Amino acid sequence: MRRPLLLLLAFLLTGAAGPRYVRSVARYTPPEVTLTDATGARMPLSVALNRPGPVVLQFIFTTCPSVCPALSATLAAAREELGDEVSLVSISIDPEYDTPARLREYSQRFKAGPQWRFLTGSRDDVAAVQKAFDAYRPNKMQHEPLTFLRRAPGEPWVRLAGPLTPSELAAEVRRLAGRVGQRIYREGLLASAEGTQPACASCHRRSGFGSSEGGVYVPRVTGPSLFQPRQLRRADLFRSLYQEVQPKPYGERVRDPRLRPAYTRETLAAALRQGRDPVGRELDPLMPRYRLSDEEVRQLADYLERLGAAPSPGVDGQVIHFATVVTAGVDPGRRKAMLDVLEGYVRWKNAETHHSAQRLGFSPWYRDEFYGSYREWQLHVWELRGPARTWPAQLAAYYQAQPVFAVLSGIGTGSWRPIHEFCESAEVPCLFPNTDLPVVSPGAWSLYLSPGLAVEAQALAATLPEGRIVQVYRDVDAGRIPARALREALGKRLDDRAIPTGRTLTPAFWQGLIRETRPAALVLWLGSGDAATLVPAAGALAPVRQIVLSYSLMGETAPDFPVGLREKVRLTWRFAPPGHEEPLIYRVRAWMRARRIETTHERLQLNTWFALAVTDHSLVHIVENFSRDFFVESVEEETENALSPGVFPSLALGPGQRFASKGSSVVRLAAGAPGGLEPVSGWIVP
């Protein structure tokens, strides 16, 4: 790195006094070409450039004597300061010489990581890219030192012409991404003061659309709310007063419009520092007073101006786009059962929307005020094929072809992690997929019905008998994840047996295991096929007091255990008590019959209907403010308000909560009981 850094220093010191680069903003349309990266893999330019988060683009060539090493060294040094939140792209303008091998060698000089892509291609394709960015020169030795930045796909590019220091480039990226203002708003982190101050988002929420609780009204601080004169909007008033149960003081506060002129940077600074609005009225005492520098006020104002100023991707003037995900290996019958409900709900919703839109002027005034929220729903089915390691690229391609506002329901085999990580990186809400293996670690955008097999294992730990516990599991995610959760919940080492994929279990296996370990309880994270091999080994299992299986993994088809073995069997059960039915289930069944939707996998279909119902409730709540953050916040509130069809004992979320059902229980096989199952434990929330 020494030579490139020396070149960078010389490059920067040769400039004249004053600004060394010129900043401008333009919209460029990159061509639809496919280039080659340093590994030799083919990559569409759109995939390289349309990644979530900020992107930095430069044109270089590996034998360039001065400008290119300096540009690349600037990127390398700035990346150390910015971390992996920014994607870097360097395109060779000497493609006939710069093979993937030479690019790879060049990239190693700058210790480029996976977030920095080096691309080459045909001469014509590279020239087309340069021309699209107004960077083409017939002679590569005459190329300009240019750096291009973009905050997100679809937004304008910032063009920086001339040399930059790493700190200048990092500052430009932060300015573009609004990271300084964002950190002040979301985390309360200030550069001018030690420690932190109360984060704006803790009250005004991440979306900026405010909140209410216990009669406390927290107003909006989005760009349109702050930097335009305050207006009394009847649709918002109707939503606040008639869709939410609030005490009397809250209603009085909401009815008081407190009209004011638009905020300016100066009056915003006064509000933050002194607690006074643009006409001098004192703000609520709950509003903190902040110690902000002029630069921090500017950065925060820049961030707030963009907050809620435009609909999130996936929404246009007529349509709101949704996707559902179906992974490889899903049973065709279950796939059809879910899609029938999704497609039936979308048809029904669109018919209602069209009916309401046609009756404008013939409805109560508040209905007409909701006209801006009317959108047709369009559902896209994202089928993921092949091994899980290829799913991120498939998801990115689907999203590139048509961005969606949210991912609704969905069904998968194995871990949901690839879809979870896509939704988190693309900042797309993912609502209540049908999966036994959600990602339990915190996330901002993915919400689940239940923690799945992990919570079954955690709840089971409280019911196991004293003595030696042996757990057997297939060495796949569906076995490893609950086995690890049980091990952590018990706080002691278990006797584990991981069964490799492809190995067939036999009665001899069980006989040998019991003879070797003499367990008080066997915990088996296995499917019904593996569990059936217990039947011929029933005699050897006589010393075992409990045999625990997962109802979820059994696929609703438990083997026909003989009586002696049947009495020992317990099933982890994360649903409502067997036989219990909420009244709403009859309404949903009638809704499906009316739309000729065959009831095949009812629990799956009810969960899918619930995801759609919560989405519907939440969109009504946010009116025409199509902010993904606001939508997630509304889902957190509306999950408890929406009618649950009773698959789970209760469903509720709150700010930052990501699992609507929090517990599980244990049942046993019992002839004559509803569904052949009988509870042996209460509802256990670990």
Side-chain angles (χ1 to χ4, degrees):
M1 283 291 289
R2 184 179 179 186
R3 182 171 178 269
L5 288 175
L6 291 174
L7 284 169
L8 172 61
L9 181 60
F11 188 52
L12 297 176
L13 292 177
T14 56
R20 292 179 302 276
Y21 66 92
V22 177
R23 187 182 197 274
S24 60
V25 179
R27 286 195 174 273
Y28 300 115
T29 304
E32 294 293 331
V33 298
T34 298
L35 303 179
T36 304
D37 69 14
T39 69
R42 301 280 286 166
M43 174 176 291
L45 180 63
S46 58
V47 172
L49 298 183
N50 294 336
R51 305 180 74 185
V55 172
V56 181
L57 167 68
Q58 290 181 341
F59 295 98
I60 55 95
F61 64 102
T62 61
T63 56
C64 176
S66 57
V67 174
C68 302
L71 289 174
S72 299
T74 300
L75 278 189
R79 180 181 172 277
E80 290 183 6
E81 187 174 343
L82 293 168
D84 290 336
E85 295 182 23
V86 59
S87 299
L88 312 178
V89 179
S90 296
I91 299 179
S92 171
I93 58 174
D94 189 11
E96 292 181 346
Y97 181 82
D98 286 340
T99 62
R102 289 194 173 97
L103 284 180
R104 188 162 57 252
E105 179 184 356
Y106 182 84
S107 69
Q108 290 169 354
R109 292 163 54 188
F110 300 97
K111 299 181 180 179
Q115 294 297 102
W116 190 350
R117 297 182 183 276
F118 289 81
L119 302 176
T120 185
S122 72
R123 191 179 187 87
D124 289 343
D125 285 346
V126 169
V129 179
Q130 289 179 271
K131 291 174 182 177
F133 283 88
D134 192 22
Y136 179 71
R137 297 292 182 272
N139 185 339
K140 63 179 178 292
M141 297 298 292
Q142 297 174 350
H143 81 104
E144 295 181 72
L146 297 174
T147 302
F148 300 87
L149 317 177
R150 186 169 68 179
R151 190 174 76 92
E155 296 195 6
W157 288 86
V158 174
R159 178 189 182 103
L160 307 175
L164 303 96
T165 66
S167 60
E168 287 171 337
L169 177 56
E172 287 285 355
V173 172
R174 288 197 186 97
R175 176 183 177 186
L176 185 70
R179 286 183 58 192
V180 173
Q182 182 186 83
R183 295 193 74 185
I184 294 172
Y185 182 82
R186 293 185 181 178
E187 304 171 48
L189 297 178
L190 307 180
S192 62
E194 293 184 4
T196 63
Q197 295 184 217
C200 310
S202 62
C203 293
H204 297 281
R205 305 297 306 273
R206 182 177 165 121
S207 68
F209 281 92
S211 64
S212 62
E213 183 180 2
V216 176
Y217 170 72
V218 180
R220 299 179 179 189
V221 291
T222 58
S225 300
L226 288 178
F227 299 105
Q228 295 178 11
R230 174 167 288 170
Q231 300 175 350
L232 181 62
R233 298 185 67 257
R234 295 183 297 179
D236 287 332
L237 186 63
F238 173 79
R239 175 179 61 80
S240 298
L241 291 175
Y242 297 99
Q243 290 187 355
E244 300 178 4
V245 179
Q246 296 286 358
K248 184 178 179 181
Y250 172 85
E252 293 172 352
R253 172 66 183 86
V254 171
R255 285 188 175 90
D256 177 8
R258 299 194 182 183
L259 302 180
R260 54 154 176 78
Y263 273 95
T264 64
R265 300 298 173 95
E266 292 74 22
T267 57
L268 179 63
L272 293 165
R273 293 166 177 161
Q274 303 161 21
R276 296 192 177 277
D277 75 2
V279 296
R281 288 181 300 227
E282 188 171 356
L283 299 177
D284 194 292
L286 290 175
M287 167 71 182
R289 281 33 171 179
Y290 290 90
R291 301 183 306 277
L292 292 169
S293 68
D294 291 341
E295 175 61 17
E296 286 165 342
V297 170
R298 185 187 70 79
Q299 293 278 5
L300 180 58
D302 285 346
Y303 177 74
L304 292 174
E305 275 188 331
R306 294 193 301 271
L307 193 62
S312 294
V315 182
D316 59 34
Q318 291 77 40
V319 176
I320 179 167
H321 294 270
F322 296 107
T324 193
V325 174
V326 181
T327 75
V330 170
D331 173 72
R334 291 173 60 80
R335 175 188 181 278
K336 182 179 185 302
M338 182 193 74
L339 290 180
D340 284 349
V341 174
L342 282 164
E343 292 165 354
Y345 198 103
V346 169
R347 286 193 301 270
W348 169 71
K349 178 64 183 175
N350 288 342
E352 277 207 335
T353 299
H354 295 157
H355 176 73
S356 297
Q358 291 169 359
R359 292 184 58 80
L360 290 176
F362 298 92
S363 301
W365 60 263
Y366 61 81
R367 284 284 186 91
D368 290 355
E369 289 284 330
F370 278 82
Y371 177 70
S373 67
Y374 293 166
R375 294 291 189 283
E376 179 178 305
W377 289 21
Q378 186 167 338
L379 179 68
H380 304 268
V381 181
W382 291 355
E383 303 267 6
L384 302 182
R385 298 179 172 84
R389 67 176 181 275
T390 67
W391 294 354
Q394 295 179 51
L395 289 165
Y398 277 125
Y399 187 78
Q400 171 64 22
Q402 175 56 66
V404 296
F405 184 71
V407 173
L408 306 182
S409 190
I411 189 169
T413 58
S415 174
W416 195 255
R417 182 173 293 277
I419 301 95
H420 175 101
E421 291 179 347
F422 164 78
C423 291
E424 294 298 317
S425 64
E427 299 189 347
V428 175
C430 179
L431 268 57
F432 307 129
N434 297 288
T435 175
D436 294 329
L437 298 171
V439 177
V440 179
S441 58
W445 300 99
S446 300
L447 297 94
Y448 297 97
L449 289 162
S450 162
L453 290 170
V455 80
E456 291 183 21
Q458 292 164 348
L460 173 65
T463 71
L464 290 171
E466 293 294 328
R468 193 171 195 173
I469 310 297
V470 176
Q471 64 176 353
V472 181
Y473 58 92
R474 283 285 175 187
D475 196 13
V476 294
D477 285 335
R480 289 189 295 262
I481 289 174
R484 181 171 62 247
L486 180 61
R487 196 179 306 119
E488 293 172 353
L490 287 175
K492 61 183 180 181
R493 178 173 175 79
L494 303 180
D495 283 324
D496 285 352
R497 295 294 187 276
I499 309 302
T501 303
R503 178 179 175 181
T504 302
L505 295 182
T506 64
F509 167 83
W510 298 113
Q511 293 164 359
L513 179 66
I514 302 304
R515 187 169 52 250
E516 175 190 347
T517 61
R518 299 191 176 279
L522 275 178
V523 179
L524 312 178
W525 306 109
L526 302 171
S528 58
D530 284 331
T533 62
L534 293 167
V535 176
L541 297 169
V544 181
R545 292 159 58 190
Q546 280 189 19
I547 299 172
V548 184
L549 296 157
S550 167
Y551 180 86
S552 306
L553 290 178
M554 297 285 286
E556 305 181 13
T557 54
D560 186 15
F561 294 114
V563 174
L565 194 57
R566 185 184 185 89
E567 293 173 351
K568 301 174 185 289
V569 171
R570 302 289 185 266
L571 299 172
T572 54
W573 176 268
R574 64 176 187 268
F575 310 109
H580 174 80
E581 290 190 340
E582 292 287 340
L584 180 63
I585 196 172
Y586 302 106
R587 173 181 164 187
V588 181
R589 286 170 178 163
W591 181 91
M592 288 196 293
R593 284 196 302 270
R595 284 148 190 84
R596 299 181 181 179
I597 297 173
E598 182 183 3
T599 303
T600 53
H601 300 270
E602 186 173 67
R603 188 177 291 112
L604 168 66
Q605 291 174 312
L606 293 174
N607 287 339
T608 302
W609 182 91
F610 178 77
L612 293 161
V614 172
T615 300
D616 202 349
H617 280 236
S618 300
L619 288 175
V620 170
H621 184 87
I622 67 177
V623 197
E624 76 270 29
N625 301 296
F626 292 104
S627 155
R628 287 173 176 168
D629 277 311
F630 194 21
F631 175 66
V632 169
E633 292 163 7
S634 181
V635 170
E636 290 172 345
E637 180 178 341
E638 293 302 308
T639 295
E640 192 166 1
N641 295 334
L643 297 176
S644 168
V647 173
F648 297 91
S650 64
L651 292 171
L653 291 172
Q657 296 181 23
R658 290 298 172 259
F659 296 100
S661 177
K662 278 69 172 183
S664 184
S665 63
V666 178
V667 301
R668 67 182 177 188
L669 302 172
L677 299 172
E678 179 180 81
V680 295
S681 81
W683 186 249
I684 302 171
V685 178

